[in-house]
Amino acid sequence: MYKIALIGNIHEDGVKLLKKYKFSLNFIRNFSKKNLINKLKNIDGIALRTSKLDKSILQECKKLKIISRHGVGVDNIDVNFTNKKKITILITGNSNSASVAEHVISMFLNLCKNSFIADKLVRSNNFRKKYEMSPSYELYQKNIFIIGFGRIGKSLSKRCNAFESNVLVYDPYVDKKTIKKNNCIPINFNQGIKKADFISIHLPLTKKTKYLITKKHLTKMKKTCIIVNTSRGSIIKEKDLYWALSKKIIHSAGLDVFETEPPLKNNPLFKLNNIIFSPHNAALTEECKRRMGVETCQNLINYFFNKKKIKKNNFLNT
């Protein structure tokens, strides 16, 4: 009987699948390093949400064969160590793209239509001040720059095409033919940030992508540009974003992710009125939570009982 640790809450439909296959389940809700080391010593597989598994924890997992990540980011796992020990990492590569893409569109629309400011006007009995609001804009036929063209980037491009937008794409790891097949225009990074009316980021956090966007890049953007980040907080340097928004260098921003999570109470971005936030929940619709829970657990089942059924998208390096 294989022993599986579920670190964090997994949708009950996923748990039911594991029970059906008679796995021995260990539900872990205390995420302290000491408790994880103690609980994971004899575990064969892990279903992991957001808790960190660093080398000091993983080196004590003598029987560990697989980590099934509830999501697509793996910056909470010491991948160098898992690679050395040949521990397989699988992700839920087919679950969250629609949910995150919709979240981006909702932020685009809220920001370009000034919806959150308009709502405040009505609630504060300032209905007639609508003509004093900042200009609002359309998505129609605008340049939307997608940085990163994996599953979520592709899903977002389909929704942007519905607005008859010009979808520009930068991803050095995706060939131009694939980008064009998705009715998008391949473009280099510097050209993209200059032409963009809207920008959406869909990249993993790595040494190369950390602070990909700084003051240097923000100054090259249009004053009407709207930027949304639903990937990882440190891809945009928050200090520089605050500067750009406070100086009206760009129009506005939407953040679902932060350099520090949860963000500090005194984060200066909170003082601005041309930015909206969400608590890293772009993928947490009810439908998506179920899909991710089921796929996380199905990955474990497929690994231990039928490796041929593991989808290509679910391997970390695809």
Side-chain angles (χ1 to χ4, degrees):
M1 182 183 294
Y2 297 112
K3 295 180 180 179
I4 304 297
L6 293 91
I7 308 176
N9 293 319
I10 305 292
H11 195 281
E12 61 181 11
D13 286 359
V15 177
K16 286 177 183 176
L17 278 176
L18 295 178
K19 288 180 177 177
K20 182 179 177 182
Y21 279 80
K22 308 298 183 184
F23 285 101
S24 174
L25 304 182
N26 187 344
F27 297 89
I28 298 177
R29 301 295 179 266
N30 175 354
F31 309 135
S32 69
K33 185 174 289 191
K34 182 179 179 181
N35 187 60
L36 290 174
I37 289 173
N38 181 50
K39 297 289 187 181
L40 300 178
K41 285 181 178 179
N42 296 306
I43 292 295
D44 298 294
I46 294 173
L48 179 68
R49 292 213 50 188
T50 58
S51 298
K52 287 196 173 185
L53 294 181
D54 60 22
K55 181 180 178 180
S56 65
I57 296 171
L58 291 169
Q59 66 186 4
E60 300 300 325
C61 303
K62 306 300 184 184
K63 296 181 65 180
L64 184 62
K65 303 169 185 68
I66 175 176
I67 300 171
S68 182
R69 175 76 172 87
H70 186 279
V72 294
V74 292
D75 45 299
N76 58 329
I77 303 170
D78 187 329
V79 177
N80 289 329
F81 183 84
T82 57
N83 285 341
K84 286 178 183 177
K85 295 297 181 180
K86 300 190 184 307
I87 298 169
T88 299
I89 298 178
L90 296 177
I91 58 176
T92 52
N94 303 283
S95 296
N96 67 352
S97 57
S99 178
V100 176
E102 287 185 6
H103 198 88
V104 173
I105 293 294
S106 74
M107 281 190 155
F108 278 169
L109 290 172
N110 270 290
L111 291 163
C112 74
K113 303 296 183 184
N114 293 316
S115 299
F116 58 109
I117 297 173
D119 178 79
K120 288 179 182 177
L121 280 184
V122 177
R123 292 175 186 272
S124 60
N125 199 28
N126 286 306
F127 191 89
R128 296 187 183 280
K129 288 188 176 182
K130 58 187 173 183
Y131 298 108
E132 299 175 24
M133 288 174 58
S134 299
S136 61
Y137 301 95
E138 299 173 350
L139 277 174
Y140 175 61
Q141 293 189 341
K142 293 296 191 301
N143 293 330
I144 299 178
F145 183 34
I146 298 175
I147 304 174
F149 206 55
R151 294 167 288 273
I152 297 172
K154 290 185 179 74
S155 186
L156 175 61
S157 72
K158 293 176 185 176
R159 287 152 179 81
C160 293
N161 282 324
F163 287 89
E164 300 179 47
S165 305
N166 304 309
V167 185
L168 314 174
V169 170
Y170 168 74
D171 192 322
Y173 302 103
V174 177
D175 62 82
K176 292 181 179 180
K177 286 184 180 179
T178 300
I179 293 171
K180 289 177 180 177
K181 279 181 183 178
N182 285 271
N183 298 313
C184 301
I185 303 164
I187 195 169
N188 71 43
F189 181 78
N190 288 319
Q191 286 179 321
I193 60 174
K194 288 178 182 177
K195 289 187 175 184
D197 297 298
F198 297 83
I199 297 175
S200 187
I201 301 167
H202 301 284
L203 299 170
L205 180 61
T206 66
K207 289 181 180 179
K208 288 184 178 180
T209 63
K210 185 174 182 179
Y211 296 154
L212 180 73
I213 294 178
T214 63
K215 185 182 289 189
K216 170 187 172 183
H217 309 99
L218 291 160
T219 53
K220 294 178 181 178
M221 297 176 189
K222 295 180 182 179
K223 285 193 173 183
T224 54
C225 184
I226 292 170
I227 185 167
V228 168
N229 187 10
T230 56
S231 53
R232 287 295 182 267
S234 295
I235 292 173
I236 301 178
K237 195 170 186 177
E238 281 185 15
K239 180 181 177 181
D240 291 358
L241 180 62
Y242 170 80
W243 171 84
L245 292 171
S246 63
K247 299 289 185 182
K248 310 294 183 186
I249 303 298
I250 61 173
H251 180 277
S252 54
L255 296 184
D256 183 55
V257 289
F258 302 84
E259 285 191 43
T260 300
E261 293 190 2
L264 301 176
K265 288 182 180 180
N266 62 350
N267 189 318
L269 289 169
F270 296 162
K271 299 176 182 178
L272 303 176
N273 61 8
N274 56 343
I275 185 168
I276 57 175
F277 308 99
S278 55
H280 203 156
N281 70 335
L284 295 184
T285 60
E286 289 304 306
E287 297 90 342
C288 187
K289 283 191 287 186
R290 182 190 177 279
R291 288 195 299 267
M292 285 199 293
V294 168
E295 192 169 0
T296 299
C297 296
Q298 189 64 55
N299 279 340
L300 291 166
I301 293 166
N302 290 344
Y303 177 85
F304 285 109
F305 293 104
N306 194 344
K307 292 185 181 181
K308 291 181 180 179
K309 286 188 177 182
I310 299 176
K311 297 177 182 178
K312 183 182 177 182
N313 281 349
N314 288 25
F315 282 102
L316 175 60
N317 294 321
T318 63

